Amino acid sequence: MNDAMRANLLGKLQHVAIVAPDLTAASDLYRNVFGANVSAPLPLPEHGVTTVFVELPNTKIELLHPLGKHSPIAKFLEKNPAGGIHHLCYEVADIEQAIQQLSNHGVRILGDGKPKIGAHGKPVVFLHPKDTAATLIELEQV
Amino acid sequence: MNDAMRANLLGKLQHVAIVAPDLTAASDLYRNVFGANVSAPLPLPEHGVTTVFVELPNTKIELLHPLGKHSPIAKFLEKNPAGGIHHLCYEVADIEQAIQQLSNHGVRILGDGKPKIGAHGKPVVFLHPKDTAATLIELEQV
């Protein structure tokens, strides 16, 4: 394999997403117990989630709760009623290049394999956890 | 509650720990597929794990594999044979103050409640996931 095929894709850890069965309780934990800066809940109906952002000095935590009938995190919460860490999001400079490099190595992209506009208004893809050490990984182009 | 009792405890996200059933495969994924800087495996017998560090620009991923007969991550791997995200580690400036603030809010510290010397040679505690939105959280004093 030549170097061009093995560019370092990984930028910053953009966020860690945690699914919470009780978004108020999870927000209170980070705001009132840990004392962190925590946003108000932001409903994102087109993504099927309500999200709360917890600011850390170097990255952020996103607390997620299902919104609407077809939430992509509903199944996770059924399987994990107490909630838990749902995915990691890494920044990439060029999502098409990332998809190409990953595909060259047999890493599958979820869905139709094409970037969608994610919760932050930027192109994102999710990688198949079976190909990524059992970790659901989102890549976001920045 | 007064402000002194609600200091912002949370420093940087020090690392995200991922338990891998096959440490070589997980290292290869991050090194050869993502193209990241990945350390050699570091056996830490006193902590019951072998660890591999993946450098990101703003934090790191720690890939963990059980080492020895009494590994603290053996049960996790039994329950999750494919592995997965195990815990988040937040930096704190003063671990005794953090323990006090958390205890005031009923958040339990695992074990005997006292800091231990962690894998990086610094005082750490783990918080009870039932009190922290079903997320295993390590606090490391820096």
Side-chain angles (χ1 to χ4, degrees), chain B:
Chain B
M1 184 183 318
N2 63 40
D3 284 346
M5 287 178 67
R6 208 169 52 201
N8 186 347
L9 297 179
L10 295 183
K12 290 182 183 174
L13 180 71
Q14 214 282 333
H15 64 263
V16 177
I18 297 175
V19 170
D22 180 338
L23 203 50
T24 304
S27 298
D28 284 354
L29 169 75
Y30 276 91
R31 184 185 291 115
N32 297 334
V33 181
F34 287 129
N37 283 328
V38 175
S39 78
L42 179 67
L44 297 169
E46 69 275 31
H47 295 287
V49 295
T50 299
T51 182
V52 165
F53 302 96
V54 179
E55 280 178 36
L56 299 175
N58 60 336
T59 186
K60 63 187 171 183
I61 305 295
E62 290 193 13
L63 305 172
L64 303 177
H65 189 77
L67 178 64
K69 285 182 183 168
H70 305 289
S71 173
I73 58 171
K75 266 193 189 165
F76 180 88
L77 206 47
E78 269 171 40
K79 212 174 153 186
N80 306 276
I85 302 172
H86 184 261
H87 69 263
L88 304 181
C89 176
Y90 298 128
E91 296 180 356
V92 296
D94 181 335
I95 203 162
E96 295 292 351
Q97 181 205 353
I99 291 170
Q100 187 62 53
Q101 181 164 322
L102 292 165
S103 299
N104 289 346
H105 287 85
V107 174
R108 288 165 287 176
I109 311 295
L110 292 181
D112 65 6
K114 299 196 188 314
K116 301 285 176 293
I117 297 304
H120 310 125
K122 294 173 181 172
V124 303
V125 289
F126 283 88
L127 311 183
H128 198 309
K130 288 202 174 168
D131 299 336
T132 57
T135 311
L136 181 59
I137 291 176
E138 180 182 16
L139 301 179
E140 179 178 289
Q141 180 170 294
V142 291

Side-chain angles (χ1 to χ4, degrees), chain A residues 3-19:
Chain A
D3 285 347
M5 288 179 65
R6 207 169 51 201
N8 186 349
L9 298 179
L10 295 185
K12 290 182 184 174
L13 179 70
Q14 214 281 334
H15 63 263
V16 177
I18 297 175
V19 171

